[in-house]
Amino acid sequence: MTPILLAVNGTLMRGLELNPNMTNVGGIFVREDNTDAHYRLWSINDRHPGMIRVQTGGAHIALEIWQLPPASFAQLLSSEPAGLSIGKVKLQDGSEVLGVLAEPWLVEGQKEITETGSWRRYTGHHHTV
């Protein structure tokens, strides 16, 4: 079966709190990338980010692309917090991959951090290769 590419923008990224959830199901890091300029980002109680695609007022958001075995995809998703879902994420080169997005109710009343451009910049957790 063809591996699934998944864009992640928060705690599943390398070196962050939930990255073992990704690696334990056979996830393989592919590359760093960015969304196109139509996304906004919020901090959900300073535990994880929530990203939503918008028509206007968006920015490029930094993310990581991971490759997952199809059999592990559901296992990984079941460990994600409520309010996060999978949808199509448009990358800065115009291509689309599956990615973690927030349902609109999740970001209501939360701190918007779009101007930082990434969860890593907001939290100060920089990955060292």
Side-chain angles (χ1 to χ4, degrees):
M1 297 183 87
T2 304
I4 296 170
L5 291 180
L6 181 68
V8 298
N9 59 60
T11 57
L12 288 172
M13 293 190 296
R14 294 170 299 155
L16 298 183
E17 180 184 0
L18 298 181
N19 183 251
N21 291 355
M22 180 70 82
T23 57
N24 290 343
V25 297
I28 299 169
F29 173 76
V30 176
R31 69 182 184 275
E32 293 180 351
D33 211 321
N34 289 288
T35 66
D36 75 357
H38 292 96
Y39 290 86
R40 290 171 64 189
L41 192 67
W42 285 263
S43 172
I44 310 304
N45 301 317
D46 281 345
R47 297 284 300 145
H48 62 83
M51 183 174 77
I52 292 181
R53 184 171 172 82
V54 294
Q55 291 292 327
T56 59
H60 294 280
I61 303 298
L63 41 75
E64 292 182 352
I65 307 295
W66 285 75
Q67 178 179 295
L68 283 167
S72 301
F73 192 65
Q75 183 180 348
L76 178 70
L77 297 183
S78 67
S79 66
E80 284 292 278
L84 295 180
S85 59
I86 298 300
K88 294 280 184 92
V89 172
K90 193 170 218 179
L91 302 177
Q92 65 184 358
D93 68 2
S95 65
E96 287 184 336
V97 296
L98 293 178
V100 179
L101 296 168
E103 296 178 35
W105 66 265
L106 185 64
V107 303
E108 289 177 11
Q110 299 292 329
K111 179 180 182 181
E112 185 166 356
I113 60 171
T114 302
E115 70 281 352
T116 67
S118 81
W119 180 247
R120 284 192 193 283
R121 273 182 238 130
Y122 174 72
T123 62
H125 291 107
H126 301 284
H127 182 71
T128 55
V129 179

